[in-house]
Amino acid sequence: MDAGLQQALNPLAPSQDTAMHVPAGSVTSHLGTTGRSYFYFATASLALCLVFAVATIMVLVVQKTDSIPNPPGKFHLKGGNCSEDISCILERAAFKKSWAYLQVSKHINKTKLSWNKDGITHGVRYQDGNLVIQFPGWYFIICQLQFLVKCPEHSVDLKLELLINRDVKKQTLVTVCESGVQTKNIYQNLSQFLLEHLQVNATISVKVDKFQYVDTNTFPLENVLSIFLYSSSD
């Protein structure tokens, strides 16, 4: 064969080295693409399972809510939207056996707080600043207080304590009015909650060391003590 013709045909024929060897980079790229495909598939499967679980829970919640009969009357609390929202929750809730919602008294003169007697109580008794349990079981206890501090020359420690039968079960402490820093007024919110198993005649109360700073004027409706029976023992 003519040497020129043979030389022209040689570039069109695949070489043995090219056919038998694949660059390492292309193999790695292929494996990486496959791994990402499996990862995307697994992620999509988990997301689908999560959506299905949430949908199942929502159906169960709706069924349980529909099975709760509407109360015959309405409760009216003094106050704005916060109180009205809580009243609505209490009216529709499943824990109808024992619960209470009290607002702090405007006349505070000691560390143990007193509460307005015209608050909502059901299946629980109020006496001398104490909520007295009438049904045994697990109770959610929630307290929220607003403070207004006119800063003196030194720092001030604000402490909120939840007591069961005179024993401190939960407390919150915060320091305001840093020493050497000139600040006129400081608004501070303190809240605490507790899940506790209580027997009949157990008492619930709240103590505040610096009770003179509890703000009963600016946000009187935000100073509340609320409990409800989560799970009954009888």
Side-chain angles (χ1 to χ4, degrees):
M1 180 180 294
D2 184 81
L5 179 59
Q6 184 177 1
Q7 186 177 3
L9 292 175
N10 281 339
L12 300 177
S15 67
Q16 185 176 358
D17 292 340
T18 304
M20 297 300 295
H21 296 84
V22 180
S26 63
V27 174
T28 305
S29 177
H30 174 71
L31 292 177
T33 303
T34 304
R36 285 194 299 270
S37 299
Y38 283 122
F39 173 76
Y40 294 150
F41 176 75
T43 302
S45 300
L46 291 175
L48 183 61
C49 292
L50 179 62
V51 170
F52 178 76
V54 171
T56 303
I57 293 173
M58 292 300 295
V59 170
L60 293 176
V61 169
V62 171
Q63 289 177 346
K64 183 176 181 180
T65 304
D66 291 341
S67 64
I68 301 174
N70 292 327
K74 290 184 65 67
F75 301 101
H76 298 281
L77 291 178
K78 295 180 179 180
N81 294 332
C82 177
S83 298
E84 293 172 0
D85 290 343
I86 293 178
S87 176
C88 179
I89 292 172
L90 292 175
E91 290 180 16
R92 296 178 178 273
F95 45 85
K96 294 179 178 296
K97 194 169 186 178
S98 180
W99 46 265
Y101 178 79
L102 301 175
Q103 296 171 354
V104 74
S105 172
K106 281 186 171 294
H107 307 289
I108 304 175
N109 54 14
K110 56 183 179 180
T111 58
K112 181 180 178 180
L113 299 185
S114 58
W115 308 87
N116 291 331
K117 296 181 180 180
D118 59 353
I120 298 176
T121 58
H122 180 80
V124 62
R125 184 163 49 90
Y126 175 75
Q127 181 179 2
D128 299 329
N130 297 315
L131 285 173
V132 185
I133 299 301
Q134 304 298 302
F135 298 97
W138 288 93
Y139 282 81
F140 268 119
I141 306 167
I142 306 165
C143 182
Q144 174 180 275
L145 296 175
Q146 304 289 339
F147 294 83
L148 172 58
V149 182
K150 296 182 179 179
C151 290
E153 297 291 331
H154 54 80
S155 61
V156 177
D157 292 331
L158 302 176
K159 183 166 66 173
L160 182 158
E161 295 178 330
L162 284 179
L163 292 86
I164 306 296
N165 297 329
R166 298 182 180 179
D167 296 326
V168 177
K169 291 294 184 178
K170 211 73 177 290
Q171 62 181 357
T172 300
L173 175 65
V174 65
T175 300
V176 298
C177 301
E178 297 183 18
S179 180
V181 179
Q182 293 184 351
T183 306
K184 293 183 178 180
N185 297 328
I186 289 183
Y187 290 92
Q188 180 67 47
N189 173 286
L190 289 184
S191 60
Q192 193 56 267
F193 71 93
L194 176 66
L195 176 61
E196 187 79 6
H197 187 273
L198 302 177
Q199 301 295 336
V200 176
N201 293 326
T203 60
I204 302 169
S205 59
V206 178
K207 279 190 176 182
V208 175
D209 284 351
K210 306 295 193 304
F211 61 86
Q212 67 271 25
Y213 294 126
V214 176
D215 185 10
T216 59
N217 295 318
T218 308
F219 303 106
L221 307 176
E222 307 300 322
N223 299 308
V224 296
L225 172 63
S226 179
I227 72 168
F228 66 85
L229 178 61
Y230 175 73
S231 178
S232 179
S233 297
D234 53 8

